[in-house]
Amino acid sequence: MAKQYDVLFRLLLIGDSGVGKTCLLCRFTDNEFHSSHISTIGVDFKMKTIEVDGIKVRIQIWDTAGQERYQTITKQYYRRAQGIFLVYDISSERSYQHIMKWVSDVDEYAPEGVQKILIGNKADEEQKRQVGREQGQQLAKEYGMDFYETSACTNLNIKESFTRLTELVLQAHRKELEGLRTPASNELALAEMEEDEGKPEGPENSSKTCWC
Amino acid sequence: RTQVADEKTCMQFSIRRPKLPSSETHPEESMYRRLDVAAWLRHLNALGQVEEEYKLRKAIFFGGIDVSIRGEVWPFLLRYYSHESTSEEREALRMQKRKEYAEIQQKRLSMTPEEHRAFWRNVQFTVDKDVVRTDRSNQFFRGEGNPNVESMRRILLNYAVYNPAIGYSQGMSDLVAPILAEVLDESDTFWCFVGLMQNTIFVSSPRDEDMEKQLLYLRELLRLTHLRFYQHLVSLGEDGLQMLFCHRWLLLCFKREFPEAEALRIWEACWAHYQKGYV
């Protein structure tokens, strides 16, 4: 049966509590916005397929709790991400300062070569702005990241930033993906590799693991 | 569409079989009706003491508590009131605890600027973000400038002062809100919340031991009762059995997974600690 997509990527949204990670995600996947969203506990994820450069990319976007106390969770979701959104709120200086801390978490837990972009969200709240656009640009430059100011509320730069991170991940994995655009290629896609990783263990093996 | 519908659609479980045949239920289940005022009063003697705690717990486990008396009965389940206490003793306790609560609040309000900065950074910043987005579709917390939201906020801030080792973790607002909405009084709610917290996974903070232990039980249960699903998780590789998707179920006791009425019914059954000497 024909696959609905060519490749599967995992993207991750991180940043302080209340900067609007869930709202960014809902705007992107469902084109919806609710200002009084509930706080994220643990992880949630949503999926969306977009086409970039002729490739159908299925993106699985993991939404995290700003305050995560379970190390086991944190490590799990960083470990398998290929792209990461670092999100702050332009009306909160503190959330901007904290990007440094989030970057160091990424360095510690995420795989090497993970793609990152910086997002300054709530760009519609101009009257409450505490972080200048140039500060965002400056920080992004320091870390070698692309930068977007977004607004989930007014739908500013949402599609653009998600598409951009997807492109970056595609570029980073260009080698593995070569030949995807030629229909007769052998299907060497990341999605395939992912699935191989999780090869079922033999029954003896699995029954052993439950008793340990 | 209402906001409630919007919030819930993406996350709720659907109940496939609301009624189970009697062959699949506990044999005593059909013998208990919801605990209403009349039934509740029959559990109390003339002094207002609960006559037989075990019977009460059992009745609540099987039948639940009528909404009209939740605020009165929950403080027993949450160990604020002891079952042996008389009505008079409970009134005295409430007064004494109200004073204690005021003292905790006073302690919070008289921090040095330096202490306050640290408190704001570690606790208040997150509490402020969370209370305005907790149960706002509930009538009790609805609307701009609702004073009940402010009560919830004070309870959480005061709790962090009372128990600095736990402080505030996201999710705690989800636990305190329904209690406040039933118990109504701020001080009483605070002390009920103190009792509740002692029985939650939050207490293992910042370590993960309790969560790990619960997940271990769940894995074993799955292996025993739903072997095919268990094997599916095994086949997903190392991530499957981590069961990330269960963390919130355990942390908030299914509050986000079921409509509020069902979730609170689950809470009550758990709080009744019927036939269960652990947790």
Side-chain angles (χ1 to χ4, degrees), chain B residues 166-224:
Chain B
I166 294 183
Y168 177 74
S169 283
Q170 284 196 300
M172 281 164 58
S173 65
D174 279 283
L175 298 187
V176 81
I179 304 179
L180 181 58
E182 298 294 347
V183 173
L184 304 175
D185 179 83
E186 184 174 321
S187 160
D188 292 340
T189 301
F190 175 86
W191 295 109
C192 286
F193 183 58
V194 167
L196 174 64
M197 284 298 290
Q198 281 161 0
N199 281 299
T200 64
I201 285 174
F202 287 98
V203 291
S204 67
S205 174
R207 287 158 296 130
D208 302 343
E209 293 152 19
D210 285 1
M211 177 63 87
E212 290 302 323
K213 198 159 71 183
Q214 300 296 326
L215 287 172
L216 182 71
Y217 293 150
L218 186 55
R219 270 179 220 122
E220 282 302 287
L221 271 175
L222 275 180
R223 195 176 59 80
L224 291 170

Short mmCIF file of all heavy atoms in Angstrom, two decimals, chain B residues 166-224:
data_model
loop_
_atom_site.label_atom_id
_atom_site.label_comp_id
_atom_site.label_asym_id
_atom_site.label_seq_id
_atom_site.Cartn_x
_atom_site.Cartn_y
_atom_site.Cartn_z
N ILE B 166 8.29 20.55 48.64
CA ILE B 166 7.50 20.30 47.43
C ILE B 166 7.32 21.58 46.64
O ILE B 166 7.44 21.60 45.43
CB ILE B 166 6.13 19.69 47.79
CG1 ILE B 166 6.34 18.29 48.40
CG2 ILE B 166 5.24 19.59 46.56
CD1 ILE B 166 5.05 17.57 48.73
N GLY B 167 7.06 22.67 47.35
CA GLY B 167 6.89 23.95 46.65
C GLY B 167 5.68 23.90 45.74
O GLY B 167 4.59 23.55 46.17
N TYR B 168 5.90 24.23 44.48
CA TYR B 168 4.81 24.12 43.53
C TYR B 168 5.27 23.36 42.30
O TYR B 168 6.32 23.67 41.74
CB TYR B 168 4.28 25.49 43.11
CG TYR B 168 3.19 25.38 42.06
CD1 TYR B 168 1.91 24.96 42.41
CD2 TYR B 168 3.46 25.62 40.71
CE1 TYR B 168 0.93 24.80 41.45
CE2 TYR B 168 2.48 25.47 39.74
CZ TYR B 168 1.22 25.05 40.11
OH TYR B 168 0.24 24.88 39.16
N SER B 169 4.50 22.37 41.91
CA SER B 169 4.75 21.68 40.65
C SER B 169 3.51 21.80 39.79
O SER B 169 2.39 21.74 40.32
CB SER B 169 4.99 20.18 40.88
OG SER B 169 6.27 19.97 41.37
N GLN B 170 3.70 21.93 38.52
CA GLN B 170 2.55 22.04 37.63
C GLN B 170 1.69 20.79 37.76
O GLN B 170 2.21 19.68 37.81
CB GLN B 170 3.00 22.25 36.19
CG GLN B 170 3.49 23.67 35.96
CD GLN B 170 3.57 24.02 34.50
OE1 GLN B 170 4.30 23.39 33.76
NE2 GLN B 170 2.82 25.04 34.08
N GLY B 171 0.40 21.00 37.83
CA GLY B 171 -0.53 19.89 38.05
C GLY B 171 -1.20 20.05 39.40
O GLY B 171 -2.34 19.62 39.60
N MET B 172 -0.51 20.68 40.34
CA MET B 172 -1.10 20.83 41.67
C MET B 172 -2.35 21.71 41.63
O MET B 172 -3.31 21.49 42.38
CB MET B 172 -0.07 21.39 42.66
CG MET B 172 0.88 20.31 43.16
SD MET B 172 2.39 20.90 43.98
CE MET B 172 1.76 21.88 45.31
N SER B 173 -2.38 22.68 40.74
CA SER B 173 -3.56 23.53 40.63
C SER B 173 -4.77 22.70 40.18
O SER B 173 -5.89 22.94 40.59
CB SER B 173 -3.32 24.69 39.67
OG SER B 173 -3.13 24.23 38.35
N ASP B 174 -4.51 21.69 39.34
CA ASP B 174 -5.58 20.81 38.89
C ASP B 174 -6.17 20.00 40.03
O ASP B 174 -7.32 19.60 39.98
CB ASP B 174 -5.05 19.82 37.84
CG ASP B 174 -4.98 20.45 36.46
OD1 ASP B 174 -6.02 20.57 35.83
OD2 ASP B 174 -3.86 20.81 36.03
N LEU B 175 -5.36 19.71 41.03
CA LEU B 175 -5.84 18.92 42.16
C LEU B 175 -6.59 19.79 43.17
O LEU B 175 -7.58 19.36 43.75
CB LEU B 175 -4.67 18.21 42.87
CG LEU B 175 -3.87 17.20 42.05
CD1 LEU B 175 -2.88 16.48 42.96
CD2 LEU B 175 -4.77 16.18 41.37
N VAL B 176 -6.12 21.00 43.36
CA VAL B 176 -6.74 21.83 44.40
C VAL B 176 -8.07 22.44 43.95
O VAL B 176 -8.99 22.61 44.75
CB VAL B 176 -5.76 22.91 44.92
CG1 VAL B 176 -5.71 24.12 44.00
CG2 VAL B 176 -6.15 23.35 46.32
N ALA B 177 -8.18 22.73 42.65
CA ALA B 177 -9.38 23.45 42.17
C ALA B 177 -10.69 22.73 42.50
O ALA B 177 -11.61 23.36 43.04
CB ALA B 177 -9.25 23.73 40.67
N PRO B 178 -10.83 21.44 42.20
CA PRO B 178 -12.11 20.78 42.51
C PRO B 178 -12.40 20.75 44.01
O PRO B 178 -13.57 20.81 44.41
CB PRO B 178 -11.93 19.35 41.99
CG PRO B 178 -10.80 19.43 41.02
CD PRO B 178 -9.90 20.51 41.52
N ILE B 179 -11.37 20.69 44.83
CA ILE B 179 -11.61 20.67 46.29
C ILE B 179 -12.17 22.02 46.72
O ILE B 179 -13.16 22.11 47.44
CB ILE B 179 -10.31 20.36 47.07
CG1 ILE B 179 -9.71 19.05 46.59
CG2 ILE B 179 -10.60 20.28 48.57
CD1 ILE B 179 -8.41 18.70 47.31
N LEU B 180 -11.54 23.08 46.24
CA LEU B 180 -12.02 24.42 46.60
C LEU B 180 -13.46 24.62 46.14
O LEU B 180 -14.29 25.18 46.86
CB LEU B 180 -11.10 25.49 45.97
CG LEU B 180 -11.45 26.94 46.28
CD1 LEU B 180 -11.44 27.23 47.77
CD2 LEU B 180 -10.47 27.90 45.57
N ALA B 181 -13.76 24.10 44.96
CA ALA B 181 -15.11 24.28 44.41
C ALA B 181 -16.17 23.53 45.22
O ALA B 181 -17.35 23.86 45.14
CB ALA B 181 -15.15 23.85 42.95
N GLU B 182 -15.78 22.53 45.99
CA GLU B 182 -16.74 21.80 46.82
C GLU B 182 -16.68 22.22 48.28
O GLU B 182 -17.70 22.38 48.94
CB GLU B 182 -16.49 20.28 46.74
CG GLU B 182 -16.65 19.67 45.35
CD GLU B 182 -18.08 19.72 44.82
OE1 GLU B 182 -19.01 20.01 45.59
OE2 GLU B 182 -18.25 19.50 43.61
N VAL B 183 -15.46 22.38 48.80
CA VAL B 183 -15.31 22.69 50.23
C VAL B 183 -15.57 24.18 50.50
O VAL B 183 -16.00 24.56 51.58
CB VAL B 183 -13.90 22.25 50.72
CG1 VAL B 183 -13.64 22.70 52.14
CG2 VAL B 183 -13.76 20.73 50.60
N LEU B 184 -15.29 25.01 49.51
CA LEU B 184 -15.58 26.45 49.51
C LEU B 184 -14.72 27.30 50.43
O LEU B 184 -14.19 28.33 50.01
CB LEU B 184 -17.06 26.73 49.80
CG LEU B 184 -18.06 26.03 48.86
CD1 LEU B 184 -19.50 26.26 49.32
CD2 LEU B 184 -17.89 26.49 47.42
N ASP B 185 -14.54 26.89 51.67
CA ASP B 185 -13.76 27.72 52.60
C ASP B 185 -12.27 27.59 52.28
O ASP B 185 -11.76 26.49 52.06
CB ASP B 185 -14.02 27.26 54.03
CG ASP B 185 -13.23 28.06 55.03
OD1 ASP B 185 -13.68 29.16 55.40
OD2 ASP B 185 -12.13 27.61 55.42
N GLU B 186 -11.56 28.72 52.25
CA GLU B 186 -10.16 28.71 51.82
C GLU B 186 -9.25 27.93 52.77
O GLU B 186 -8.44 27.11 52.33
CB GLU B 186 -9.66 30.15 51.66
CG GLU B 186 -8.25 30.23 51.10
CD GLU B 186 -7.81 31.66 50.81
OE1 GLU B 186 -8.65 32.45 50.32
OE2 GLU B 186 -6.65 31.98 51.06
N SER B 187 -9.40 28.19 54.06
CA SER B 187 -8.55 27.50 55.02
C SER B 187 -8.84 25.99 55.04
O SER B 187 -7.94 25.17 54.99
CB SER B 187 -8.74 28.10 56.41
OG SER B 187 -8.31 27.20 57.41
N ASP B 188 -10.12 25.64 55.07
CA ASP B 188 -10.48 24.21 55.06
C ASP B 188 -9.93 23.52 53.81
O ASP B 188 -9.42 22.40 53.87
CB ASP B 188 -12.00 24.03 55.10
CG ASP B 188 -12.61 24.48 56.43
OD1 ASP B 188 -11.85 24.56 57.41
OD2 ASP B 188 -13.82 24.74 56.46
N THR B 189 -10.05 24.20 52.68
CA THR B 189 -9.54 23.63 51.44
C THR B 189 -8.04 23.41 51.52
O THR B 189 -7.52 22.37 51.11
CB THR B 189 -9.85 24.55 50.24
OG1 THR B 189 -11.25 24.73 50.16
CG2 THR B 189 -9.33 23.96 48.94
N PHE B 190 -7.36 24.40 52.09
CA PHE B 190 -5.92 24.28 52.24
C PHE B 190 -5.56 23.01 53.00
O PHE B 190 -4.72 22.22 52.57
CB PHE B 190 -5.35 25.50 52.97
CG PHE B 190 -3.87 25.41 53.27
CD1 PHE B 190 -2.94 25.81 52.32
CD2 PHE B 190 -3.41 24.91 54.48
CE1 PHE B 190 -1.57 25.71 52.59
CE2 PHE B 190 -2.04 24.81 54.75
CZ PHE B 190 -1.13 25.22 53.79
N TRP B 191 -6.24 22.77 54.14
CA TRP B 191 -5.88 21.61 54.95
C TRP B 191 -6.31 20.30 54.30
O TRP B 191 -5.64 19.27 54.48
CB TRP B 191 -6.44 21.77 56.37
CG TRP B 191 -5.78 22.94 57.07
CD1 TRP B 191 -6.34 24.14 57.38
CD2 TRP B 191 -4.41 23.01 57.50
NE1 TRP B 191 -5.41 24.97 57.97
CE2 TRP B 191 -4.20 24.31 58.07
CE3 TRP B 191 -3.33 22.13 57.46
CZ2 TRP B 191 -2.98 24.72 58.58
CZ3 TRP B 191 -2.10 22.53 57.98
CH2 TRP B 191 -1.94 23.82 58.53
N CYS B 192 -7.39 20.33 53.55
CA CYS B 192 -7.75 19.13 52.78
C CYS B 192 -6.68 18.84 51.73
O CYS B 192 -6.29 17.70 51.51
CB CYS B 192 -9.09 19.34 52.06
SG CYS B 192 -10.51 19.29 53.15
N PHE B 193 -6.21 19.91 51.12
CA PHE B 193 -5.17 19.77 50.09
C PHE B 193 -3.88 19.21 50.69
O PHE B 193 -3.20 18.38 50.09
CB PHE B 193 -4.93 21.14 49.43
CG PHE B 193 -3.94 21.12 48.30
CD1 PHE B 193 -4.14 20.31 47.20
CD2 PHE B 193 -2.81 21.92 48.35
CE1 PHE B 193 -3.22 20.30 46.15
CE2 PHE B 193 -1.89 21.91 47.31
CZ PHE B 193 -2.10 21.10 46.21
N VAL B 194 -3.56 19.66 51.90
CA VAL B 194 -2.38 19.13 52.59
C VAL B 194 -2.52 17.61 52.74
O VAL B 194 -1.59 16.85 52.46
CB VAL B 194 -2.22 19.79 53.99
CG1 VAL B 194 -1.21 19.04 54.85
CG2 VAL B 194 -1.78 21.25 53.83
N GLY B 195 -3.72 17.17 53.13
CA GLY B 195 -3.97 15.73 53.28
C GLY B 195 -3.88 15.01 51.95
O GLY B 195 -3.28 13.93 51.84
N LEU B 196 -4.45 15.61 50.93
CA LEU B 196 -4.41 15.00 49.61
C LEU B 196 -2.99 14.83 49.10
O LEU B 196 -2.61 13.78 48.59
CB LEU B 196 -5.21 15.86 48.61
CG LEU B 196 -5.16 15.40 47.15
CD1 LEU B 196 -5.81 14.03 46.99
CD2 LEU B 196 -5.85 16.40 46.24
N MET B 197 -2.21 15.88 49.27
CA MET B 197 -0.84 15.86 48.73
C MET B 197 -0.01 14.71 49.30
O MET B 197 0.85 14.17 48.63
CB MET B 197 -0.14 17.20 49.00
CG MET B 197 -0.59 18.31 48.08
SD MET B 197 -0.24 17.98 46.35
CE MET B 197 1.53 18.11 46.34
N GLN B 198 -0.31 14.36 50.56
CA GLN B 198 0.46 13.27 51.17
C GLN B 198 0.24 11.94 50.46
O GLN B 198 1.01 11.01 50.62
CB GLN B 198 0.09 13.13 52.65
CG GLN B 198 0.79 14.20 53.47
CD GLN B 198 0.15 14.40 54.82
OE1 GLN B 198 -0.85 13.76 55.16
NE2 GLN B 198 0.70 15.31 55.59
N ASN B 199 -0.85 11.87 49.71
CA ASN B 199 -1.14 10.64 48.99
C ASN B 199 -0.95 10.74 47.49
O ASN B 199 -1.51 9.96 46.74
CB ASN B 199 -2.58 10.21 49.28
CG ASN B 199 -2.68 9.55 50.63
OD1 ASN B 199 -2.05 8.52 50.86
ND2 ASN B 199 -3.44 10.15 51.53
N THR B 200 -0.22 11.73 47.06
CA THR B 200 -0.04 11.85 45.61
C THR B 200 1.41 11.60 45.24
O THR B 200 2.29 11.53 46.10
CB THR B 200 -0.39 13.27 45.10
OG1 THR B 200 0.53 14.20 45.69
CG2 THR B 200 -1.81 13.64 45.45
N ILE B 201 1.60 11.51 43.95
CA ILE B 201 2.94 11.27 43.41
C ILE B 201 3.83 12.51 43.57
O ILE B 201 5.03 12.42 43.56
CB ILE B 201 2.79 10.85 41.94
CG1 ILE B 201 2.30 9.40 41.91
CG2 ILE B 201 4.09 10.97 41.17
CD1 ILE B 201 1.98 8.90 40.55
N PHE B 202 3.19 13.67 43.76
CA PHE B 202 3.97 14.89 43.90
C PHE B 202 4.95 14.82 45.07
O PHE B 202 5.97 15.47 45.07
CB PHE B 202 3.04 16.09 44.12
CG PHE B 202 2.31 16.50 42.89
CD1 PHE B 202 1.01 16.10 42.68
CD2 PHE B 202 2.92 17.29 41.94
CE1 PHE B 202 0.32 16.47 41.54
CE2 PHE B 202 2.24 17.68 40.80
CZ PHE B 202 0.94 17.27 40.60
N VAL B 203 4.59 14.02 46.08
CA VAL B 203 5.43 14.02 47.27
C VAL B 203 6.82 13.43 47.02
O VAL B 203 7.73 13.65 47.80
CB VAL B 203 4.80 13.26 48.46
CG1 VAL B 203 3.60 14.02 48.98
CG2 VAL B 203 4.42 11.85 48.09
N SER B 204 6.99 12.69 45.94
CA SER B 204 8.31 12.12 45.70
C SER B 204 9.24 13.14 45.05
O SER B 204 10.40 12.89 44.84
CB SER B 204 8.22 10.87 44.83
OG SER B 204 7.80 11.22 43.54
N SER B 205 8.68 14.31 44.72
CA SER B 205 9.46 15.35 44.07
C SER B 205 10.73 15.67 44.87
O SER B 205 10.66 15.72 46.09
CB SER B 205 8.61 16.61 43.95
OG SER B 205 9.37 17.66 43.46
N PRO B 206 11.85 15.94 44.29
CA PRO B 206 12.07 15.98 42.85
C PRO B 206 12.50 14.63 42.27
O PRO B 206 12.88 14.56 41.11
CB PRO B 206 13.21 16.99 42.71
CG PRO B 206 14.02 16.79 43.95
CD PRO B 206 13.08 16.33 45.02
N ARG B 207 12.42 13.58 43.03
CA ARG B 207 12.81 12.29 42.48
C ARG B 207 11.61 11.63 41.80
O ARG B 207 10.49 12.06 41.95
CB ARG B 207 13.38 11.40 43.58
CG ARG B 207 14.78 11.84 44.01
CD ARG B 207 15.11 11.36 45.37
NE ARG B 207 14.22 11.96 46.34
CZ ARG B 207 13.56 11.27 47.26
NH1 ARG B 207 13.68 9.97 47.32
NH2 ARG B 207 12.76 11.88 48.12
N ASP B 208 11.85 10.60 41.05
CA ASP B 208 10.78 10.00 40.26
C ASP B 208 10.33 8.66 40.81
O ASP B 208 9.56 7.95 40.17
CB ASP B 208 11.25 9.76 38.82
CG ASP B 208 11.70 11.03 38.15
OD1 ASP B 208 11.37 12.11 38.66
OD2 ASP B 208 12.39 10.94 37.13
N GLU B 209 10.77 8.31 42.02
CA GLU B 209 10.55 6.95 42.49
C GLU B 209 9.09 6.51 42.48
O GLU B 209 8.76 5.42 42.03
CB GLU B 209 11.07 6.79 43.91
CG GLU B 209 12.57 6.90 44.01
CD GLU B 209 13.02 7.42 45.35
OE1 GLU B 209 12.23 7.34 46.30
OE2 GLU B 209 14.16 7.90 45.44
N ASP B 210 8.23 7.37 43.00
CA ASP B 210 6.83 6.98 43.09
C ASP B 210 6.22 6.78 41.71
O ASP B 210 5.45 5.85 41.49
CB ASP B 210 6.02 8.02 43.86
CG ASP B 210 6.29 7.94 45.35
OD1 ASP B 210 7.10 7.08 45.75
OD2 ASP B 210 5.69 8.72 46.11
N MET B 211 6.56 7.67 40.80
CA MET B 211 6.05 7.52 39.43
C MET B 211 6.57 6.21 38.84
O MET B 211 5.80 5.45 38.24
CB MET B 211 6.50 8.71 38.58
CG MET B 211 6.09 8.65 37.14
SD MET B 211 4.31 8.67 36.89
CE MET B 211 3.97 10.42 36.84
N GLU B 212 7.84 5.93 39.04
CA GLU B 212 8.41 4.69 38.49
C GLU B 212 7.71 3.47 39.06
O GLU B 212 7.44 2.50 38.35
CB GLU B 212 9.91 4.63 38.79
CG GLU B 212 10.75 5.63 37.99
CD GLU B 212 10.58 5.46 36.48
OE1 GLU B 212 10.45 4.30 36.02
OE2 GLU B 212 10.53 6.49 35.78
N LYS B 213 7.42 3.54 40.36
CA LYS B 213 6.77 2.41 41.01
C LYS B 213 5.36 2.20 40.44
O LYS B 213 4.96 1.07 40.13
CB LYS B 213 6.70 2.67 42.51
CG LYS B 213 6.44 1.43 43.33
CD LYS B 213 6.85 1.60 44.78
CE LYS B 213 5.92 2.54 45.50
NZ LYS B 213 6.28 2.82 46.88
N GLN B 214 4.64 3.30 40.26
CA GLN B 214 3.29 3.19 39.70
C GLN B 214 3.32 2.63 38.29
O GLN B 214 2.48 1.82 37.91
CB GLN B 214 2.60 4.56 39.68
CG GLN B 214 2.43 5.21 41.04
CD GLN B 214 1.53 4.45 41.97
OE1 GLN B 214 0.57 3.83 41.53
NE2 GLN B 214 1.85 4.45 43.25
N LEU B 215 4.30 3.09 37.51
CA LEU B 215 4.40 2.59 36.13
C LEU B 215 4.75 1.10 36.12
O LEU B 215 4.29 0.36 35.26
CB LEU B 215 5.45 3.40 35.35
CG LEU B 215 5.04 4.82 34.98
CD1 LEU B 215 6.22 5.57 34.38
CD2 LEU B 215 3.87 4.81 33.99
N LEU B 216 5.54 0.71 37.08
CA LEU B 216 5.90 -0.70 37.18
C LEU B 216 4.64 -1.55 37.46
O LEU B 216 4.42 -2.58 36.83
CB LEU B 216 6.93 -0.88 38.30
CG LEU B 216 7.45 -2.29 38.53
CD1 LEU B 216 8.37 -2.71 37.38
CD2 LEU B 216 8.20 -2.38 39.84
N TYR B 217 3.81 -1.08 38.41
CA TYR B 217 2.55 -1.79 38.69
C TYR B 217 1.70 -1.88 37.43
O TYR B 217 1.12 -2.90 37.11
CB TYR B 217 1.73 -1.04 39.76
CG TYR B 217 2.34 -1.02 41.15
CD1 TYR B 217 2.10 0.05 42.00
CD2 TYR B 217 3.13 -2.07 41.61
CE1 TYR B 217 2.64 0.09 43.28
CE2 TYR B 217 3.67 -2.03 42.89
CZ TYR B 217 3.42 -0.96 43.72
OH TYR B 217 3.95 -0.92 44.97
N LEU B 218 1.64 -0.74 36.73
CA LEU B 218 0.79 -0.67 35.55
C LEU B 218 1.28 -1.64 34.47
O LEU B 218 0.49 -2.35 33.84
CB LEU B 218 0.77 0.76 35.03
CG LEU B 218 -0.17 1.07 33.88
CD1 LEU B 218 -1.60 0.68 34.22
CD2 LEU B 218 -0.12 2.57 33.54
N ARG B 219 2.59 -1.68 34.28
CA ARG B 219 3.16 -2.62 33.31
C ARG B 219 2.79 -4.05 33.66
O ARG B 219 2.40 -4.84 32.80
CB ARG B 219 4.69 -2.50 33.31
CG ARG B 219 5.20 -1.49 32.33
CD ARG B 219 6.72 -1.40 32.41
NE ARG B 219 7.10 -0.01 32.29
CZ ARG B 219 7.80 0.67 33.18
NH1 ARG B 219 8.26 0.07 34.27
NH2 ARG B 219 8.05 1.94 33.00
N GLU B 220 2.92 -4.38 34.94
CA GLU B 220 2.60 -5.74 35.37
C GLU B 220 1.12 -6.04 35.18
O GLU B 220 0.75 -7.13 34.75
CB GLU B 220 3.01 -5.95 36.84
CG GLU B 220 4.51 -6.18 37.01
CD GLU B 220 4.99 -7.37 36.20
OE1 GLU B 220 4.69 -8.52 36.59
OE2 GLU B 220 5.65 -7.18 35.16
N LEU B 221 0.28 -5.06 35.50
CA LEU B 221 -1.16 -5.24 35.30
C LEU B 221 -1.48 -5.50 33.83
O LEU B 221 -2.27 -6.36 33.49
CB LEU B 221 -1.92 -3.99 35.77
CG LEU B 221 -2.35 -3.96 37.22
CD1 LEU B 221 -2.97 -2.60 37.53
CD2 LEU B 221 -3.36 -5.07 37.51
N LEU B 222 -0.84 -4.70 32.98
CA LEU B 222 -1.06 -4.86 31.54
C LEU B 222 -0.63 -6.24 31.08
O LEU B 222 -1.30 -6.90 30.31
CB LEU B 222 -0.25 -3.82 30.76
CG LEU B 222 -0.87 -2.45 30.57
CD1 LEU B 222 0.08 -1.56 29.78
CD2 LEU B 222 -2.20 -2.57 29.82
N ARG B 223 0.51 -6.66 31.60
CA ARG B 223 1.04 -7.96 31.18
C ARG B 223 0.08 -9.08 31.60
O ARG B 223 -0.14 -10.04 30.86
CB ARG B 223 2.42 -8.18 31.81
CG ARG B 223 3.21 -9.32 31.19
CD ARG B 223 4.60 -9.40 31.79
NE ARG B 223 4.55 -9.61 33.22
CZ ARG B 223 4.34 -10.80 33.79
NH1 ARG B 223 4.17 -11.88 33.05
NH2 ARG B 223 4.29 -10.90 35.10
N LEU B 224 -0.52 -8.92 32.76
CA LEU B 224 -1.42 -9.95 33.26
C LEU B 224 -2.79 -9.90 32.60
O LEU B 224 -3.41 -10.92 32.36
CB LEU B 224 -1.60 -9.80 34.78
CG LEU B 224 -0.36 -10.12 35.62
CD1 LEU B 224 -0.58 -9.70 37.07
CD2 LEU B 224 -0.06 -11.61 35.55
#
